[in-house]
Amino acid sequence: FAFHTDPALRRELRAAGFEDISVRGLEGPAWPMLDPAGPPDDPFIEQVVHIAALADHDDAFVAASAHLLALARAKAP
């Protein structure tokens, strides 16, 4: 495993031959509000999901997530 920042992950993917790179934060910036041992009907879940959806299109919030997801296209040979 490795820890990445958004820019470092983008550089690594470009170096590996990928383009059209998009990096998203999986949890969004409000994930610390949730109790991992909490009940599945925790009232904060809906709010955290809503905040994550709002932040999903703003690269400034990517680093606020605990996990990153990178989507990219392989360059044509």
Side-chain angles (χ1 to χ4, degrees):
F1 82 97
F3 291 104
H4 286 90
T5 61
D6 177 9
L9 183 53
R10 288 174 189 273
R11 281 192 305 273
E12 191 172 311
L13 289 168
R14 268 191 230 97
F18 290 93
E19 59 188 9
D20 298 329
I21 300 166
S22 173
V23 178
R24 297 286 176 236
L26 294 182
E27 293 86 1
W31 68 271
M33 289 175 52
L34 295 176
D35 177 0
D41 60 347
D42 184 332
F44 286 123
I45 291 174
E46 186 176 341
Q47 293 172 353
V48 169
V49 170
H50 180 70
I51 292 168
L54 291 172
D56 191 41
H57 301 289
D58 188 336
D59 290 342
F61 288 109
V62 170
S65 286
H67 299 92
L68 301 178
L69 172 69
L71 304 169
R73 184 182 325 269
K75 288 184 183 177

